Amino acid sequence: MTNAPLSIVQPDPAGLAVAADMLRAGQLVAFPTETVYGLGADARDDTAVAGIYAAKGRPSFNPLIVHLANLAMAETLCDFNDDAHRLAGAFWPGALTLVLPLRPDARISKLVTAGLDTLAIRVPDHPVAQALLAAFGGPVAAPSANPSGRVSPTTATHVADGLGRKINGLVDGGPCGVGLESTIISCVDTPTLLRAGGIPAEAIEACLGRPLATSADPETPVAPGQLASHYAPKGTMRLNAQTAGPDEVMLGFGPVDALLNLSPSGDLTEAAARLFDCLHQLDAINATHIAVSPIPNHGLGVAINDRLQRAATPRD
Ligand code: AMP
Ligand code: MG
């Protein structure tokens, strides 16, 4: 989140170089894709990705789609099986998002994957998106560039009206295509349709030579957006705790005595950036009982509390 004036740049080499530099500096840059305008941040930068949630006012941490210039770059982030290679070969660049196993050396922010070990990726077809991704040369996390709950933006004016004071840059590429979201296919196991979108399921089935599973199938009981709610530390969590009990590990916020602290200075952006990392660290030390400091319920605190509450809900 920022209060700096919005830099609107043209999609020419000079403007794209400025936008790529802004991404490198951890800033938020909106750009056109063939679906809608995306709100981009360097997917390796925890603080920049936290900024996406702050700017959009998203009340929950759903995993984000990472945009890449080409297949070679995608292969450095995810493991591709034969199905994934076939689909990428047929539909990239284009409105197809693949969910694939995340490579351990990918260095993607855990806030992008919401702590999952899978990653949603796509190579967009829009020439301006292509040129920006090539100029930047790295992975760009980008949900739609609109305030949470508002209509998806298909012009630069929509973006400026909705997010103008909350983002740093905007590449004005004119109106973008159809405004349909990308089709999301998981190729982690059996190819599964997670979200219908710009590329019809029939075209994907024709390419694979077999029907897609759907997330309503009993074997794959995961709907888009819900997968994230399944990531929670193994230990039980007690929220709004002032101090840890004798058998508890403290996950702190603010100036408290804690083994792990989301943000000793009480900064919600830092806490959001560190959240999934801290949850993984609690598993790594086999924490069985976790006490969590109160988190203020405004700004990014809303999404942090949403995630903590899900993690604290008893599971079987
Ligand atoms: P949006 O950011 O609005 O384009 O939405 C991204 C969609 O991709 C959401 O429905 C997410 O739940 C879904 N998604 C992103 N990453 C994953 C993942 N690793 N597994 C399953 N779904 C995902
Ligand atoms: Mg959206």
Side-chain angles (χ1 to χ4, degrees):
M1 184 110 64
T2 170
N3 289 311
L6 174 65
S7 298
I8 300 180
V9 302
Q10 294 307 305
D12 52 30
L16 292 167
V18 169
D21 279 344
M22 295 178 98
L23 289 172
R24 276 181 210 110
Q27 298 189 335
L28 302 180
V29 177
F31 61 96
T33 77
E34 71 274 38
T35 60
V36 299
Y37 271 74
L39 178 56
D42 184 338
R44 299 159 296 194
D45 183 332
D46 292 322
T47 307
V49 177
I52 290 179
Y53 283 93
K56 284 180 65 79
R58 264 203 185 178
S60 60
F61 292 121
N62 282 333
L64 302 174
I65 296 172
V66 166
H67 295 66
L68 299 154
N70 52 50
L71 174 64
M73 214 178 277
E75 285 173 324
T76 68
L77 302 181
C78 291
D79 290 323
F80 280 66
N81 56 22
D82 288 348
D83 290 326
H85 268 128
R86 182 164 304 157
L87 293 178
F91 297 106
W92 281 358
L96 177 71
T97 295
L98 295 175
V99 172
L100 298 173
L102 180 65
R103 292 177 58 95
D105 57 354
R107 291 178 45 242
I108 293 293
S109 166
K110 285 195 169 62
L111 204 48
V112 168
T113 58
L116 300 171
D117 55 9
T118 55
L119 180 67
I121 51 176
R122 101 177 171 94
V123 176
D125 185 27
H126 193 289
V128 176
Q130 280 271 333
L132 177 62
L133 291 165
F136 176 58
V140 173
S144 54
N146 53 319
S148 187
R150 300 256 300 271
V151 176
S152 287
T154 54
T155 67
T157 308
H158 293 161
V159 178
D161 288 349
L163 295 177
R165 285 183 306 280
K166 296 180 172 168
I167 66 176
N168 308 98
L170 167 58
V171 184
D172 184 353
C176 47
V178 280
L180 268 183
E181 296 175 301
S182 62
T183 304
I184 305 181
I185 304 289
S186 169
C187 286
V188 175
D189 295 307
T190 307
T192 302
L193 179 67
L194 297 184
R195 178 176 81 188
I199 296 188
E202 292 79 2
I204 293 164
E205 293 179 331
C207 172
L208 290 171
R210 62 191 204 277
L212 287 167
T214 65
S215 52
D217 284 1
E219 295 102 290
T220 52
V222 170
Q226 289 181 348
L227 223 178
S229 67
H230 292 211
Y231 180 75
K234 297 187 196 85
T236 59
M237 299 188 105
R238 183 168 67 88
L239 305 185
N240 296 312
Q242 299 301 334
T243 54
D247 59 346
E248 288 179 324
V249 171
M250 188 80 195
L251 175 61
F253 176 85
V256 295
D257 186 14
L259 183 72
L260 288 172
N261 201 314
L262 290 166
S263 172
S265 67
D267 176 326
L268 287 169
T269 299
E270 182 184 27
R274 285 174 44 74
L275 176 64
F276 289 100
D277 214 37
C278 285
L279 298 182
H280 277 273
Q281 284 185 53
L282 289 164
D283 277 347
I285 61 172
N286 293 315
T288 54
H289 297 86
I290 303 153
V292 188
S293 294
I295 313 287
N297 206 39
H298 59 78
L300 279 171
V302 175
I304 296 172
N305 282 321
D306 170 76
R307 172 54 34 151
L308 290 171
Q309 269 146 23
R310 288 167 195 254
T313 304
R315 291 150 267 142
D316 47 303

